[in-house]
Amino acid sequence: AQSVAQPEDQVNVAEGNPLTVKCTYSVSGNPYLFWYVQYPNRGLQFLLKYITGDNLVKGSYGFEAEFNKSQTSFHLKKPSALVSDSALYFCAVRPGGYNKLIFGAGTRLAVHP
Amino acid sequence: EAQVTQNPRYLITVTGKKLTVTCSQNMNHEYMSWYRQDPGLGLRQIYYSMNVEVTDKGDVPEGYKVSRKEKRNFPLILESPSPNQTSLYFCASWDRRSSYEQYFGPGTRLTVT
């Protein structure tokens, strides 16, 4: 079965420190990979995506993500966290040839002052 | 402004009373989808549509109906709601031009008592 795993329910980080939110996947074909963020009482907002090319992709609000094909991972990173980054983050994968996204369960990021 | 709208944003209803949640997009996207979000489960796809009059089941279609009579609209119908359909619902739209990046509505919080 095709799946996306976000192994951490919550990630805690101090403001100014680097952050990583992990995502691994098991899907068919060459996938498209996405990160979305959800703030309280809001819909999901697109952060970044990997389709092909450079393994490091940069997105909105200073976030970036690294695609690792051998480890089937797509971890979200930011060099210096802000309190305003506190939100729920979802990794999503479009399996090759499919017209759907498979979402991970989400990781809550808490950035403390 | 490019957007996906949903109505209502909040709905409390009783078991068995038919309801419809509307979804509309103004981006001329081919694809539309409904998801439900439950704690610890991420987003699960209910139904999706590839174009007008073309719909297909997602991962959790039981108890739901959809229709796509116009390209911009994709209503979600619960003909006999039950308490296990209490959830947060999102509509999304996308197309191949955006590399399958999905645009989400603000969500509808449904409570069935």
Side-chain angles (χ1 to χ4, degrees), chain A residues 9-98:
Chain A
D9 291 336
Q10 180 153 329
V11 170
N12 297 297
V13 63
E15 188 173 32
N17 283 1
L19 69 88
T20 298
V21 182
K22 296 179 180 177
C23 174
T24 60
Y25 60 90
S26 175
V27 301
S28 59
N30 292 317
Y32 294 2
L33 303 157
F34 301 84
W35 276 101
Y36 286 86
V37 60
Q38 184 181 30
Y39 297 101
N41 300 314
R42 303 284 296 275
L44 275 72
Q45 297 177 33
F46 169 78
L47 274 180
L48 50 78
K49 65 185 174 188
Y50 173 84
I51 307 298
T52 188
D54 193 350
N55 289 343
L56 185 66
V57 293
K58 295 186 183 299
S60 307
Y61 313 120
F63 284 93
E64 57 190 28
E66 186 167 13
F67 170 62
N68 187 316
K69 186 173 183 177
S70 63
Q71 296 186 1
T72 61
S73 66
F74 189 55
H75 301 331
L76 181 69
K77 301 181 180 184
K78 188 173 182 181
S80 178
L82 300 172
V83 173
S84 57
D85 292 331
S86 299
L88 186 57
Y89 290 80
F90 288 99
C91 179
V93 179
R94 173 191 174 253
Y98 281 72

Side-chain angles (χ1 to χ4, degrees), chain B residues 12-107:
Chain B
I12 301 174
T13 189
V14 296
T15 299
K17 186 176 181 181
K18 181 179 179 179
L19 66 92
T20 299
V21 184
T22 64
C23 172
S24 183
Q25 51 96 1
N26 62 0
M27 295 167 278
N28 201 37
H29 283 165
E30 302 167 278
Y31 300 94
M32 297 185 74
S33 180
W34 277 102
Y35 296 91
R36 60 178 290 173
Q37 182 183 1
D38 301 291
L41 296 177
L43 274 73
R44 294 179 292 168
Q45 191 178 55
I46 302 170
Y47 270 95
Y48 68 102
S49 170
M50 292 74 81
N51 216 321
V52 175
E53 302 291 5
V54 183
T55 63
D56 204 355
K57 296 177 180 179
D59 299 315
V60 287
E62 293 79 19
Y64 304 94
K65 285 178 59 177
V66 293
S67 68
R68 187 103 180 264
K69 292 182 170 53
E70 305 166 280
K71 197 171 186 179
R72 63 184 292 124
N73 296 324
F74 191 45
L76 179 69
I77 302 157
L78 285 72
E79 296 217 324
S80 184
S82 61
N84 64 11
Q85 293 178 299
T86 292
S87 188
L88 180 58
Y89 291 86
F90 289 102
C91 181
S93 72
W94 72 99
D95 64 19
R96 282 169 281 187
R97 292 171 297 168
S98 63
S99 298
Y100 299 89
E101 172 192 334
Q102 296 194 8
Y103 295 77
F104 285 83

